[in-house]
Amino acid sequence: MVIKLDLELDAMAITGESHSQFHVLAVDDSVIDRKLIERLLKTSSYQVTAVDSGSKALKFLGLHEEDDHSNPDTVPSVSPNDHQEVEVNLIITDYCMPGMTGYDLLKKVKESSSLRNIPVVIMSSENVPSRITRCLEEGAEEFFLKPVRLADLNRLKPHMMKSKIKNEKQGDQEKLEKSEIQSEQQKQPPSQPQPQPESQPQPQQSPLLQQPNNNKRKTMEEGLSPDRTRRRYNGITTMV
Amino acid sequence: MLGWGVDRLRADMSRLLAILFHQGVLDEQFLQLQQLQDESSPNFVSECKTDGYCDCRLDREFSDYKKMGIHLNQFMGSSSSIGANRVRNVCVAFRAASEQNNRAGCLRALELLEHEYCYLKNKLHELFQMEQQRVLAAGARYPLQQH
């Protein structure tokens, strides 16, 4: 896979496993955590690209921060149809990063017309309910507490499948539109979500509060599943 | 004879690990790390240890508590990621002291942190050496096991 991007990426690993269907972009400023998430993802048979900052992540995705969407004269640096040389099926990012936080990155992705369909997962070493709510409301699919375990990654696949199906539908629709551009046939109903900040892919445009799936709230509720009892600061009082 | 060496090494490693778990120096996250290690990435755990675990240069003057807090957070996160339980706990206390601008508390925490970190580093080094020896010994053993 040849990627023609002019970047200086310290820790970028692209696997060439052609049998892996899904490509995950991992973002974390910590060397260890980046290594860990990369290993976890590869063990789960995903292709992985790991970068150490939000701005590098955006560059990799083809979105440049200097873009001013409100200025019509600016040549957009990403055009949805032909820039996707690298298809990213999921972004998993640390929350606490210098410069652009994971939350900032999430916002930028969801504000971008070309990237908003990509599911985003946030990781954090701190269990802060308000932080979690904020991220989920901004469109994050999941919020993982660190250290992330292999079992956590099982929750990623449904999100990636949904977005892949959607991309394929969108791709088909675009091909169809191109081929029918001269005809007077009616357009197919749009298969992509409405242009709202809402990232829920389901036809129901219900706000986040109404999710049937409560799994993503796992860190908010007290009752974590038994095999994930998290003794964060487990009462060993080190007196100083 | 070689087989006996491999088994002995394995037993020694298990014993050391058990001690470290019992002491709370390591927690289950370390086991997770070990499980992620395989033929394709045999040095994963040691890489985690060396590649930036202690990037944190703590300012002994404690002139900038906020900056210290940031470093501590990072260090705490890394510790947690590799299963360095006791180190992480000291970081928690250290962070609390720094948030209160408690200089004496910070000094004590720093001493404790250095002690815990040193101990952990030495033990991990021991473990990895044993592992390497085990791999070598196991490699030498294969020609004898032609089934």
Side-chain angles (χ1 to χ4, degrees), chain B residues 60-117:
Chain B
R60 278 161 193 282
E61 294 302 309
F62 304 134
S63 50
D64 189 338
Y65 283 110
K66 190 170 171 207
K67 206 164 164 193
M68 206 161 65
I70 294 174
H71 281 145
L72 276 174
N73 276 338
Q74 289 172 343
F75 195 51
M76 207 158 76
S78 303
S79 302
S80 164
S81 291
I82 70 169
N85 185 49
R86 277 209 321 221
V87 172
R88 188 198 58 205
N89 289 338
V90 176
C91 285
V92 173
F94 197 157
R95 186 173 66 172
S98 83
E99 278 165 4
Q100 294 153 19
N101 291 3
N102 176 357
R103 192 193 154 83
C106 284
L107 265 168
R108 275 196 296 274
L110 180 57
E111 274 174 28
L112 202 48
L113 187 59
E114 285 173 340
H115 169 80
E116 289 295 339
Y117 179 68

Side-chain angles (χ1 to χ4, degrees), chain A residues 11-239:
Chain A
M12 189 159 162
I14 302 174
T15 62
E17 296 161 326
S18 54
H19 66 274
S20 304
Q21 289 185 299
F22 297 113
H23 183 190
V24 178
L25 176 63
V27 191
D28 201 319
D29 63 314
S30 153
V31 175
I32 285 183
D33 289 345
R34 207 161 54 238
K35 211 180 256 296
L36 190 52
I37 193 69
E38 199 177 338
R39 193 87 202 102
L40 285 169
L41 288 165
K42 284 184 185 172
T43 302
S44 308
S45 300
Y46 298 123
Q47 281 186 5
V48 187
T49 300
V51 299
D52 66 4
S53 73
S55 45
K56 284 179 186 166
L58 288 176
K59 275 194 191 154
F60 183 79
L61 293 163
L63 193 66
H64 294 267
E65 282 177 76
E66 305 84 49
D67 275 354
D68 182 11
H69 295 288
S70 63
N71 181 359
D73 295 333
T74 307
V75 176
S77 66
V78 85
S79 62
N81 299 342
D82 54 29
H83 193 84
Q84 295 292 334
E85 295 151 353
V86 193
E87 188 187 326
V88 170
N89 302 114
L90 185 126
I91 299 166
I92 182 162
T93 176
D94 187 27
Y95 183 92
C96 263
M97 297 189 290
M100 191 186 298
T101 67
Y103 179 75
D104 298 329
L105 176 60
L106 167 67
K107 274 188 78 169
K108 285 215 168 4
V109 167
K110 293 304 168 186
E111 282 164 5
S112 151
S113 53
S114 55
L115 302 177
R116 73 159 63 101
N117 290 344
I118 303 177
V120 180
V121 170
I122 311 276
M123 307 179 279
S124 176
S125 49
E126 317 243 24
N127 188 350
V128 180
S130 56
R131 176 185 293 186
I132 297 170
T133 314
R134 230 168 129 229
C135 290
L136 294 176
E137 282 176 355
E138 195 59 40
E141 306 290 341
E142 300 271 355
F143 193 103
F144 290 161
L145 269 188
K146 284 182 171 181
V148 177
R149 304 286 172 86
L150 212 51
D152 295 326
L153 298 195
N154 293 337
R155 301 151 75 103
L156 297 183
K157 196 145 192 188
H159 301 299
M160 287 194 263
M161 299 253 13
K162 259 192 291 199
S163 91
K164 199 161 179 110
I165 289 170
K166 211 164 27 169
N167 284 345
E168 281 165 11
K169 268 201 205 161
Q170 188 174 333
D172 287 345
Q173 187 208 335
E174 281 157 5
K175 283 188 203 146
L176 205 60
E177 284 173 2
K178 280 181 180 161
S179 69
E180 290 173 351
I181 206 150
Q182 309 246 327
S183 81
E184 288 172 0
Q185 277 178 350
Q186 207 169 8
K187 258 193 201 177
Q188 278 191 358
S191 58
Q192 61 214 88
Q194 307 305 314
Q196 287 167 12
E198 186 56 65
S199 72
Q200 294 300 319
Q202 300 307 323
Q204 44 162 31
Q205 301 287 324
S206 56
L208 214 70
L209 296 169
Q210 209 196 28
Q211 310 161 41
N213 169 18
N214 283 325
N215 291 347
K216 65 182 73 172
R217 298 280 173 164
K218 69 174 178 110
T219 50
M220 287 200 63
E221 288 144 12
E222 287 309 312
L224 296 173
S225 61
D227 60 317
R228 291 274 287 153
T229 38
R230 198 120 284 228
R231 27 173 204 88
R232 298 303 308 171
Y233 309 127
N234 64 355
I236 292 179
T237 43
T238 318
M239 299 301 292

Side-chain angles (χ1 to χ4, degrees), chain B residues 15-58:
Chain B
R15 202 175 315 124
L16 178 53
L17 269 172
I19 291 173
L20 293 173
F21 278 107
H22 182 71
Q23 291 174 329
V25 172
L26 293 175
D27 65 24
E28 54 181 353
Q29 177 62 12
F30 189 76
L31 284 179
Q32 293 279 325
L33 242 60
Q34 284 196 313
Q35 280 173 15
L36 289 175
Q37 184 167 283
D38 62 13
E39 298 81 39
S40 67
S41 157
N43 298 316
F44 177 61
V45 183
S46 65
E47 282 168 16
C48 276
K49 181 191 76 142
T50 54
D51 282 357
Y53 176 39
C54 194
D55 272 348
C56 137
R57 306 266 175 268
L58 286 174

